[in-house]
PDB file of all heavy atoms in Angstrom:
ATOM      1  N   TYR T1134     105.149 111.191  87.988  1.00 92.00           N
ATOM      2  CA  TYR T1134     105.559 111.298  89.379  1.00 92.00           C
ATOM      3  C   TYR T1134     104.787 110.263  90.346  1.00 92.00           C
ATOM      4  O   TYR T1134     105.075 110.281  91.523  1.00 92.00           O
ATOM      5  CB  TYR T1134     105.423 112.697  89.877  1.00 92.00           C
ATOM      6  CG  TYR T1134     106.156 113.670  89.044  1.00 92.00           C
ATOM      7  CD1 TYR T1134     105.400 114.432  88.063  1.00 92.00           C
ATOM      8  CD2 TYR T1134     107.558 113.726  89.071  1.00 92.00           C
ATOM      9  CE1 TYR T1134     106.166 115.252  87.193  1.00 92.00           C
ATOM     10  CE2 TYR T1134     108.219 114.551  88.202  1.00 92.00           C
ATOM     11  CZ  TYR T1134     107.537 115.293  87.276  1.00 92.00           C
ATOM     12  OH  TYR T1134     108.181 116.124  86.353  1.00 92.00           O
ATOM     13  N   ILE T1136     101.921 110.338  91.515  1.00 91.00           N
ATOM     14  CA  ILE T1136     100.996 110.916  92.463  1.00 91.00           C
ATOM     15  C   ILE T1136      99.550 111.002  91.833  1.00 91.00           C
ATOM     16  O   ILE T1136      99.422 111.520  90.821  1.00 91.00           O
ATOM     17  CB  ILE T1136     101.466 112.270  92.952  1.00 91.00           C
ATOM     18  CG1 ILE T1136     102.826 112.222  93.514  1.00 91.00           C
ATOM     19  CG2 ILE T1136     100.490 112.924  93.944  1.00 91.00           C
ATOM     20  CD1 ILE T1136     103.610 113.491  93.641  1.00 91.00           C
ATOM     21  N   THR T1186     102.072 116.580  99.591  1.00 87.00           N
ATOM     22  CA  THR T1186     101.680 116.798 100.923  1.00 87.00           C
ATOM     23  C   THR T1186     102.949 116.265 101.813  1.00 87.00           C
ATOM     24  O   THR T1186     103.286 115.158 101.677  1.00 87.00           O
ATOM     25  CB  THR T1186     100.401 116.011 101.274  1.00 87.00           C
ATOM     26  OG1 THR T1186      99.392 116.603 100.427  1.00 87.00           O
ATOM     27  CG2 THR T1186     100.013 116.158 102.764  1.00 87.00           C
ATOM     28  N   ASN T1187     103.402 117.138 102.556  1.00 91.00           N
ATOM     29  CA  ASN T1187     104.660 116.905 103.239  1.00 91.00           C
ATOM     30  C   ASN T1187     104.657 116.629 104.717  1.00 91.00           C
ATOM     31  O   ASN T1187     105.646 116.719 105.447  1.00 91.00           O
ATOM     32  CB  ASN T1187     105.729 118.028 102.881  1.00 91.00           C
ATOM     33  CG  ASN T1187     105.692 118.406 101.446  1.00 91.00           C
ATOM     34  OD1 ASN T1187     105.299 119.465 101.075  1.00 91.00           O
ATOM     35  ND2 ASN T1187     106.106 117.431 100.646  1.00 91.00           N
ATOM     36  N   TYR T1188     103.434 116.461 105.133  1.00 92.00           N
ATOM     37  CA  TYR T1188     103.271 116.368 106.631  1.00 92.00           C
ATOM     38  C   TYR T1188     104.155 115.213 107.278  1.00 92.00           C
ATOM     39  O   TYR T1188     104.097 114.081 106.759  1.00 92.00           O
ATOM     40  CB  TYR T1188     101.704 116.012 106.989  1.00 92.00           C
ATOM     41  CG  TYR T1188     101.421 115.870 108.424  1.00 92.00           C
ATOM     42  CD1 TYR T1188     101.539 116.915 109.314  1.00 92.00           C
ATOM     43  CD2 TYR T1188     101.000 114.569 108.882  1.00 92.00           C
ATOM     44  CE1 TYR T1188     101.262 116.698 110.591  1.00 92.00           C
ATOM     45  CE2 TYR T1188     100.645 114.410 110.242  1.00 92.00           C
ATOM     46  CZ  TYR T1188     100.800 115.483 111.088  1.00 92.00           C
ATOM     47  OH  TYR T1188     100.519 115.343 112.385  1.00 92.00           O
ATOM     48  N   THR T1189     104.843 115.543 108.283  1.00 94.00           N
ATOM     49  CA  THR T1189     105.717 114.492 108.934  1.00 94.00           C
ATOM     50  C   THR T1189     106.079 115.008 110.275  1.00 94.00           C
ATOM     51  O   THR T1189     105.874 116.172 110.689  1.00 94.00           O
ATOM     52  CB  THR T1189     107.005 114.270 108.097  1.00 94.00           C
ATOM     53  OG1 THR T1189     107.796 113.220 108.656  1.00 94.00           O
ATOM     54  CG2 THR T1189     107.857 115.512 107.991  1.00 94.00           C
ATOM     55  N   ARG T1193     107.544 109.580 114.216  1.00 96.00           N
ATOM     56  CA  ARG T1193     106.247 109.190 113.645  1.00 96.00           C
ATOM     57  C   ARG T1193     106.179 107.696 113.519  1.00 96.00           C
ATOM     58  O   ARG T1193     107.104 107.050 113.120  1.00 96.00           O
ATOM     59  CB  ARG T1193     106.088 109.788 112.274  1.00 96.00           C
ATOM     60  CG  ARG T1193     104.726 109.548 111.716  1.00 96.00           C
ATOM     61  CD  ARG T1193     104.595 110.228 110.314  1.00 96.00           C
ATOM     62  NE  ARG T1193     103.316 110.268 109.858  1.00 96.00           N
ATOM     63  CZ  ARG T1193     102.832 110.809 108.784  1.00 96.00           C
ATOM     64  NH1 ARG T1193     103.772 111.410 107.991  1.00 96.00           N
ATOM     65  NH2 ARG T1193     101.560 110.894 108.418  1.00 96.00           N
ATOM     66  N   GLY T1224     111.226 109.391 100.378  1.00 97.00           N
ATOM     67  CA  GLY T1224     110.092 110.287 100.611  1.00 97.00           C
ATOM     68  C   GLY T1224     110.266 110.853 101.994  1.00 97.00           C
ATOM     69  O   GLY T1224     109.432 110.676 102.890  1.00 97.00           O
ATOM     70  N   SER T1226     110.578 113.957 103.153  1.00 97.00           N
ATOM     71  CA  SER T1226     109.970 115.198 103.464  1.00 97.00           C
ATOM     72  C   SER T1226     111.000 116.118 104.120  1.00 97.00           C
ATOM     73  O   SER T1226     112.161 116.155 103.686  1.00 97.00           O
ATOM     74  CB  SER T1226     108.689 114.962 104.314  1.00 97.00           C
ATOM     75  OG  SER T1226     108.026 116.253 104.399  1.00 97.00           O
ATOM     76  N   GLU T1230     112.158 112.094 109.619  1.00 98.00           N
ATOM     77  CA  GLU T1230     112.364 110.665 109.581  1.00 98.00           C
ATOM     78  C   GLU T1230     113.874 110.272 109.527  1.00 98.00           C
ATOM     79  O   GLU T1230     114.296 109.497 110.422  1.00 98.00           O
ATOM     80  CB  GLU T1230     111.472 110.002 108.422  1.00 98.00           C
ATOM     81  CG  GLU T1230     111.611 108.497 108.363  1.00 98.00           C
ATOM     82  CD  GLU T1230     110.788 108.011 107.202  1.00 98.00           C
ATOM     83  OE1 GLU T1230     109.639 107.674 107.404  1.00 98.00           O
ATOM     84  OE2 GLU T1230     111.281 107.904 106.095  1.00 98.00           O
ATOM     85  N   ASP T1257     113.728 112.844  98.331  1.00 97.00           N
ATOM     86  CA  ASP T1257     112.357 113.296  98.122  1.00 97.00           C
ATOM     87  C   ASP T1257     112.307 113.914  96.777  1.00 97.00           C
ATOM     88  O   ASP T1257     113.351 114.311  96.169  1.00 97.00           O
ATOM     89  CB  ASP T1257     111.953 114.333  99.184  1.00 97.00           C
ATOM     90  CG  ASP T1257     110.453 114.403  99.329  1.00 97.00           C
ATOM     91  OD1 ASP T1257     109.813 115.060  98.491  1.00 97.00           O
ATOM     92  OD2 ASP T1257     109.931 113.801 100.286  1.00 97.00           O
ATOM     93  N   ILE T1258     111.054 114.066  96.255  1.00 94.00           N
ATOM     94  CA  ILE T1258     110.901 114.678  94.989  1.00 94.00           C
ATOM     95  C   ILE T1258     110.899 116.219  95.028  1.00 94.00           C
ATOM     96  O   ILE T1258     111.109 116.871  94.099  1.00 94.00           O
ATOM     97  CB  ILE T1258     109.684 114.141  94.235  1.00 94.00           C
ATOM     98  CG1 ILE T1258     109.683 114.450  92.766  1.00 94.00           C
ATOM     99  CG2 ILE T1258     108.428 114.681  94.856  1.00 94.00           C
ATOM    100  CD1 ILE T1258     108.641 113.742  91.978  1.00 94.00           C
ATOM    101  N   PHE T1312     115.169 112.720  94.394  1.00 97.00           N
ATOM    102  CA  PHE T1312     114.968 111.442  93.601  1.00 97.00           C
ATOM    103  C   PHE T1312     113.492 111.245  93.427  1.00 97.00           C
ATOM    104  O   PHE T1312     112.676 111.275  94.431  1.00 97.00           O
ATOM    105  CB  PHE T1312     115.664 110.300  94.274  1.00 97.00           C
ATOM    106  CG  PHE T1312     115.433 109.011  93.570  1.00 97.00           C
ATOM    107  CD1 PHE T1312     116.087 108.746  92.400  1.00 97.00           C
ATOM    108  CD2 PHE T1312     114.594 107.966  94.113  1.00 97.00           C
ATOM    109  CE1 PHE T1312     115.914 107.549  91.674  1.00 97.00           C
ATOM    110  CE2 PHE T1312     114.456 106.796  93.415  1.00 97.00           C
ATOM    111  CZ  PHE T1312     115.070 106.572  92.232  1.00 97.00           C
ATOM    112  N   ASN T1313     113.063 110.945  92.201  1.00 96.00           N
ATOM    113  CA  ASN T1313     111.672 110.646  91.905  1.00 96.00           C
ATOM    114  C   ASN T1313     111.555 109.124  91.923  1.00 96.00           C
ATOM    115  O   ASN T1313     112.169 108.389  91.226  1.00 96.00           O
ATOM    116  CB  ASN T1313     111.390 111.165  90.477  1.00 96.00           C
ATOM    117  CG  ASN T1313     109.985 110.822  90.042  1.00 96.00           C
ATOM    118  OD1 ASN T1313     109.231 110.257  90.748  1.00 96.00           O
ATOM    119  ND2 ASN T1313     109.657 111.263  88.826  1.00 96.00           N
ATOM    120  N   LEU T1314     110.654 108.706  92.814  1.00 97.00           N
ATOM    121  CA  LEU T1314     110.463 107.267  93.026  1.00 97.00           C
ATOM    122  C   LEU T1314     109.821 106.509  91.810  1.00 97.00           C
ATOM    123  O   LEU T1314     109.747 105.263  91.845  1.00 97.00           O
ATOM    124  CB  LEU T1314     109.614 106.991  94.326  1.00 97.00           C
ATOM    125  CG  LEU T1314     110.264 107.285  95.659  1.00 97.00           C
ATOM    126  CD1 LEU T1314     109.268 107.414  96.783  1.00 97.00           C
ATOM    127  CD2 LEU T1314     111.302 106.150  95.900  1.00 97.00           C
ATOM    128  N   ARG T1330     107.494 105.543 104.049  1.00 97.00           N
ATOM    129  CA  ARG T1330     106.230 105.605 104.828  1.00 97.00           C
ATOM    130  C   ARG T1330     105.425 106.809 104.407  1.00 97.00           C
ATOM    131  O   ARG T1330     105.935 107.924 104.327  1.00 97.00           O
ATOM    132  CB  ARG T1330     106.551 105.577 106.309  1.00 97.00           C
ATOM    133  CG  ARG T1330     107.466 104.327 106.619  1.00 97.00           C
ATOM    134  CD  ARG T1330     107.681 104.230 108.138  1.00 97.00           C
ATOM    135  NE  ARG T1330     108.227 105.508 108.729  1.00 97.00           N
ATOM    136  CZ  ARG T1330     108.141 105.800 109.953  1.00 97.00           C
ATOM    137  NH1 ARG T1330     107.651 104.888 110.829  1.00 97.00           N
ATOM    138  NH2 ARG T1330     108.622 106.921 110.426  1.00 97.00           N
ATOM    139  N   ASN T1331     104.163 106.585 104.264  1.00 94.00           N
ATOM    140  CA  ASN T1331     103.230 107.648 103.963  1.00 94.00           C
ATOM    141  C   ASN T1331     103.514 108.380 102.674  1.00 94.00           C
ATOM    142  O   ASN T1331     103.339 109.609 102.535  1.00 94.00           O
ATOM    143  CB  ASN T1331     103.107 108.649 105.121  1.00 94.00           C
ATOM    144  CG  ASN T1331     102.785 107.879 106.400  1.00 94.00           C
ATOM    145  OD1 ASN T1331     101.779 107.309 106.561  1.00 94.00           O
ATOM    146  ND2 ASN T1331     103.787 107.940 107.430  1.00 94.00           N
ATOM    147  N   VAL T1332     104.097 107.680 101.727  1.00 95.00           N
ATOM    148  CA  VAL T1332     104.414 108.171 100.392  1.00 95.00           C
ATOM    149  C   VAL T1332     103.484 107.547  99.334  1.00 95.00           C
ATOM    150  O   VAL T1332     102.863 108.189  98.522  1.00 95.00           O
ATOM    151  CB  VAL T1332     105.908 107.897 100.028  1.00 95.00           C
ATOM    152  CG1 VAL T1332     106.168 108.430  98.616  1.00 95.00           C
ATOM    153  CG2 VAL T1332     106.807 108.510 101.032  1.00 95.00           C
TER     154      VAL T1332
HETATM  155  C1  SAM S2098     103.702 112.701 103.893  1.00 53.39           C
HETATM  156  S1  SAM S2098     105.354 112.795 103.421  1.00 53.39           S
HETATM  157  C2  SAM S2098     106.041 111.408 104.262  1.00 53.39           C
HETATM  158  C3  SAM S2098     107.237 111.774 105.151  1.00 53.39           C
HETATM  159  C4  SAM S2098     107.825 110.656 105.970  1.00 53.39           C
HETATM  160  N1  SAM S2098     108.197 109.566 105.178  1.00 53.39           N
HETATM  161  C5  SAM S2098     106.813 110.317 107.105  1.00 53.39           C
HETATM  162  O1  SAM S2098     106.284 109.150 107.035  1.00 53.39           O
HETATM  163  O2  SAM S2098     106.533 111.146 107.921  1.00 53.39           O
HETATM  164  C6  SAM S2098     105.341 112.226 101.731  1.00 53.39           C
HETATM  165  C7  SAM S2098     106.554 112.688 100.909  1.00 53.39           C
HETATM  166  O3  SAM S2098     106.547 111.842  99.747  1.00 53.39           O
HETATM  167  C8  SAM S2098     107.135 112.735  98.701  1.00 53.39           C
HETATM  168  N2  SAM S2098     106.831 112.173  97.382  1.00 53.39           N
HETATM  169  C9  SAM S2098     105.577 112.049  96.798  1.00 53.39           C
HETATM  170  N3  SAM S2098     105.702 111.556  95.566  1.00 53.39           N
HETATM  171  C10 SAM S2098     107.001 111.220  95.364  1.00 53.39           C
HETATM  172  C11 SAM S2098     107.794 110.689  94.283  1.00 53.39           C
HETATM  173  N4  SAM S2098     107.186 110.273  93.127  1.00 53.39           N
HETATM  174  N5  SAM S2098     109.149 110.489  94.480  1.00 53.39           N
HETATM  175  C12 SAM S2098     109.721 110.986  95.599  1.00 53.39           C
HETATM  176  N6  SAM S2098     109.083 111.520  96.657  1.00 53.39           N
HETATM  177  C13 SAM S2098     107.689 111.679  96.576  1.00 53.39           C
HETATM  178  C14 SAM S2098     106.470 114.076  98.963  1.00 53.39           C
HETATM  179  O4  SAM S2098     107.215 115.124  98.367  1.00 53.39           O
HETATM  180  C15 SAM S2098     106.521 114.131 100.500  1.00 53.39           C
HETATM  181  O5  SAM S2098     107.543 114.844 101.004  1.00 53.39           O
END
Side-chain angles (χ1 to χ4, degrees):
Y1134 307 101
I1136 304 164
T1186 298
N1187 311 115
Y1188 179 64
T1189 186
R1193 184 177 194 178
S1226 191
E1230 181 179 270
D1257 203 282
I1258 198 171
F1312 179 70
N1313 179 0
L1314 287 165
R1330 305 186 309 160
N1331 307 298
V1332 178

